[in-house]
Amino acid sequence: MNYIEPKVAKLIDAFVDMIPSLLFGLITLFLGIWLIKFLIGFLTRRFTKGNIDVSLSSFLISVLKAILYLLLILQVASTVGIPTTSFIAVLGTAGLAVGLALQGSLSNFAGGVLILLFKPFRIGHSISAANGVSGTVLKIDILYTTLKAANGTTLYAPNGPLANAVINNTSDNETRMLEYIIGISYNSNIDTARKLILNLLDKDPLVLKTPQPVVLVSSLGENAVNLTIHAWVANGDYTKAYYSNFQKIKEELDNNSISTPYPQREVHILSPAPTPGDQK
């Protein structure tokens, strides 16, 4: 008993000495939880008012909440006297190893955040990227963007390369320009061809009156005079107007004897001069 009593007394004294630290740690814990909830609620409301994509906002809030609670636990542990240096070192080493193993995924994640935040395209937009990806956007996730290609197949494009590529968004504007380059023969009358094409476009209800369609001589080719045709239509009418007018222009030119020549080559055969022996 004489041996145990000093040990118990030391434990009691140590516990009494820790009471202020424990109380301060509890206060820090409850105050930290309240602050984290307040901050998460504030950010959630701001994301909602700012029309931030739901998948992006929920992911960012989840990551931020995990980081804040981890920092709070470390702070409480340090307050009550628990050493956290070794724990932080282990976390840093583990984070480095995971980061090296998931370099591609982290790049796609960063690209997904940029796409969802800055919105270079949205669901339903038709896009084509400089890296060869093109189609209609079906879904934008954190790591991949899902598209439907023109041939009906589904494409899953990594967000990293997509965010760093030049993107042509054909759905971002209300109007879109039709452009044709049609060659007519050098014997055809250019003014007649221009009037025929402009009259045809003026009768098409899909073609907008402003800006007005134009037909210009763009180049003098080897076999034809090339006419460049510009006309504007509503974005949703582009495909229908493009193909229907292409056919109508060709038929209108043919019906008025404005020929669109085939590529041609002139071959001159030069006979060798006869030699004195051949003349005999």
Side-chain angles (χ1 to χ4, degrees):
M1 291 293 294
N2 293 334
Y3 176 77
I4 296 176
E5 288 180 357
K7 296 291 185 181
V8 173
K10 288 183 179 180
L11 289 174
I12 293 174
D13 292 339
F15 178 74
V16 171
D17 292 337
M18 287 181 61
I19 288 177
S21 298
L22 291 174
L23 290 176
F24 189 68
L26 289 174
I27 293 172
T28 302
L29 178 64
F30 289 116
L31 183 61
I33 292 174
W34 181 83
L35 287 174
I36 290 173
K37 290 182 177 179
F38 175 81
L39 180 60
I40 295 300
F42 173 77
L43 290 177
T44 302
R45 292 190 295 271
R46 295 298 300 176
F47 286 159
T48 302
K49 291 181 180 179
N51 294 323
I52 303 299
D53 190 271
V54 176
S55 58
L56 174 62
S57 61
S58 60
F59 183 84
L60 291 178
I61 287 174
S62 299
V63 172
L64 180 61
K65 186 187 294 185
I67 293 174
L68 290 176
Y69 275 113
L70 178 61
L71 293 176
L72 177 61
I73 292 172
L74 292 176
Q75 180 61 41
V76 171
S78 177
T79 302
V80 298
I82 300 175
T84 58
T85 305
S86 300
F87 184 63
I88 293 175
V90 171
L91 283 179
T93 304
L96 179 61
V98 171
L100 292 175
L102 301 176
Q103 288 184 26
S105 297
L106 291 176
S107 174
N108 291 335
F109 164 72
V113 171
L114 292 175
I115 291 172
L116 291 170
L117 192 60
F118 293 103
K119 294 181 173 61
F121 53 83
R122 296 177 176 82
I123 293 174
H125 282 188
S126 295
I127 65 170
S128 60
N131 59 5
V133 176
S134 63
T136 302
V137 179
L138 300 179
K139 186 170 60 173
I140 304 173
D141 293 324
I142 288 296
L143 297 180
Y144 290 89
T145 294
T146 306
L147 304 100
K148 185 176 182 180
N151 60 3
T153 59
T154 302
L155 304 177
Y156 299 94
N159 285 334
L162 193 60
N164 292 319
V166 177
I167 297 173
N168 180 18
N169 188 338
T170 57
S171 301
D172 211 21
N173 297 317
E174 295 181 357
T175 59
R176 192 173 173 187
M177 186 182 72
L178 303 175
E179 182 178 36
Y180 308 100
I181 299 177
I182 295 179
I184 63 173
S185 67
Y186 276 91
N187 296 326
S188 299
N189 188 286
I190 296 175
D191 288 335
T192 301
R194 291 182 68 255
K195 291 177 181 178
L196 290 171
I197 296 171
L198 290 173
N199 288 335
L200 180 68
L201 294 174
D202 185 62
K203 295 176 183 178
D204 189 342
L206 298 180
V207 176
L208 301 177
K209 307 303 179 185
T210 304
Q212 293 182 344
V214 295
V215 180
L216 304 171
V217 177
S218 56
S219 65
L220 302 177
E222 294 181 359
N223 308 297
V225 177
N226 293 318
L227 303 179
T228 297
I229 305 163
H230 289 166
W232 292 84
V233 296
N235 206 321
D237 297 331
Y238 177 82
T239 302
K240 180 180 178 181
Y242 182 85
Y243 291 107
S244 64
N245 280 296
F246 217 152
Q247 179 177 344
K248 291 177 182 177
I249 291 171
K250 175 65 169 64
E251 293 173 349
E252 187 72 6
L253 294 177
D254 289 344
N255 293 336
N256 289 273
S257 301
I258 304 294
S259 61
T260 52
Y262 295 102
Q264 302 174 22
R265 289 288 185 274
E266 291 187 2
V267 179
H268 299 274
I269 300 176
L270 301 177
S271 300
T275 62
D278 293 336
Q279 292 178 353
K280 293 179 181 181

